[in-house]
């Protein structure tokens, strides 16, 4: 489980220990990973008007440190905020959510430029890189409903595209077991405490980040580089 120490900027800078932790993270993530290049694109996507401004999507996939780090390295993403979704404003704080007694999930709000990416393309990153959508109410070492896999839809179109993509992935048997991601209405998003924001950037030597987040971030960077390469003639 992630530390609840109030000063998360303390770092472990011993190179040998860091290398071992990073190696373990890469090993376990590699075992559960899928190939982004061959991972299916959504058959249906949202088409924003030509003059549309930035769009927003909210997802949850375990620890928000990890999912935030992935999408901060995804092309077309303008901003990512860690926070809580699914519960009430009164219970939207880290200590309360961590008890697992609220309806909140650790979530992220993604602001993206529809001229550079799309809702569907970001769903692909979410399902193929950001987390394992077949783990029910946990992700890796983090257990509890606050770590569930979820897409919080802001409108019927987001709901429709998400549900169709989940059905598409299940029908194609992309994963060994069915996807358990919930599709829930977005009734509110509440930003997490300041020290949670940009946690991967600010704490690259934190043991949890090295083991759980950095392997996913590296996959996101490789996926971004691959998609930005010009097509072969």
């Amino acid at each position: 489980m992630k530390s609840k120490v109030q000063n998360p900027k303390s770092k472990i800078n011993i190179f040998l220990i860091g290398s071992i932790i990073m190696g373990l993270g890469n090993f376990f993530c590699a075992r559960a990973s899928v190939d982004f290049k061959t991972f299916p694109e959504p058959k249906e996507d949202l088409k924003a008007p030509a003059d549309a401004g930035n769009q927003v999507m909210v997802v949850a996939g375990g620890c928000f440190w990890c999912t935030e780090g992935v999408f901060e390295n995804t092309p077309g993403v303008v901003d990512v905020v860690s926070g809580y979704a699914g519960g009430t404003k009164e219970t939207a704080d880290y200590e309360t959510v961590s008890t697992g007694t609220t309806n909140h999930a650790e979530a992220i709000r993604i602001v993206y430029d529809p001229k550079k990416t799309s809702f569907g393309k970001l769903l692909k990153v979410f399902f193929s890189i950001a987390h394992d959508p077949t783990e029910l109410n946990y992700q890796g070492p983090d257990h509890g409903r606050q770590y569930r896999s979820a897409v919080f839809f802001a409108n019927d179109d987001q709901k429709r595209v998400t549900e169709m993509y989940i059905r598409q992935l299940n029908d194609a048997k992309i994963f060994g077991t069915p996807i358990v991601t919930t599709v829930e209405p977005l009734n509110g998003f509440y930003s997490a405490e300041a020290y949670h924001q940009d946690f991967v950037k600010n704490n690259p030597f934190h043991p949890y980040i090295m083991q759980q987040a950095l392997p996913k971030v590296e996959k996101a960077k490789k996926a971004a580089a691959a998609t930005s390469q010009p097509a072969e003639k």
Side-chain angles (χ1 to χ4, degrees):
M1 295 291 289
K2 68 182 69 170
S3 172
K4 294 185 179 180
V5 175
Q6 293 302 309
N7 181 16
K9 292 186 178 181
S10 60
K11 299 177 181 178
I12 296 178
N13 290 303
I14 302 175
F15 179 77
L16 180 59
I17 295 177
S19 298
I20 293 173
I21 294 173
M22 186 66 173
L24 287 172
N26 278 307
F27 173 72
F28 287 113
C29 285
R31 291 181 63 190
S33 66
V34 294
D35 186 352
F36 181 81
K37 291 183 179 179
T38 60
F39 200 86
E41 299 277 347
K43 293 180 179 179
E44 294 286 337
D45 202 348
L46 297 184
K47 295 182 179 179
D51 59 348
N54 291 339
Q55 304 293 299
V56 176
M57 69 184 297
V58 175
V59 297
C63 173
F64 46 27
W65 295 347
C66 298
T67 50
E68 180 191 61
V70 167
F71 283 99
E72 284 182 334
N73 289 278
T74 298
V77 172
V78 177
D79 186 41
V80 187
V81 177
S82 289
Y84 313 105
T88 65
K89 180 179 180 180
E90 292 72 23
T91 59
D93 66 85
Y94 185 67
E95 293 299 323
T96 304
V97 173
S98 293
T99 66
T101 60
T102 76
N103 199 42
H104 276 300
E106 288 196 10
I108 56 170
R109 181 180 64 206
I110 304 165
V111 180
Y112 65 95
D113 183 347
K115 299 180 182 64
K116 297 179 180 179
T117 189
S118 69
F119 185 81
K121 290 183 183 299
L122 295 178
L123 281 180
K124 178 182 177 179
V125 173
F126 176 66
F127 283 107
S128 64
I129 296 177
H131 79 308
D132 183 345
T134 68
E135 294 181 343
L136 181 62
N137 295 334
Y138 78 99
Q139 284 293 310
D142 298 322
H143 289 249
R145 194 162 183 272
Q146 69 272 30
Y147 299 112
R148 68 186 181 274
S149 171
V151 175
F152 293 91
F153 62 89
N155 52 56
D156 289 341
D157 286 336
Q158 287 189 352
K159 179 182 180 183
R160 174 179 55 81
V161 170
T162 301
E163 290 179 338
M164 291 184 66
Y165 193 35
I166 291 174
R167 191 178 310 117
Q168 176 187 339
L169 296 177
N170 277 332
D171 289 347
K173 293 181 170 52
I174 299 301
F175 299 97
T177 55
I179 291 171
V180 296
T181 304
T182 59
V183 184
E184 308 176 31
L186 179 62
N187 295 321
F189 176 86
Y190 309 96
S191 297
E193 295 80 354
Y195 70 87
H196 287 300
Q197 309 302 329
D198 300 317
F199 199 88
V200 173
K201 290 181 181 179
N202 294 332
N203 302 275
F205 296 105
H206 189 292
Y208 182 96
I209 293 304
M210 297 187 74
Q211 183 180 11
Q212 299 296 326
L214 291 187
K216 296 178 182 179
V217 170
E218 288 305 311
K219 285 185 65 179
K221 290 179 178 179
K222 290 180 181 179
T227 55
S228 65
Q229 292 176 354
E232 296 182 1
K233 297 183 178 179

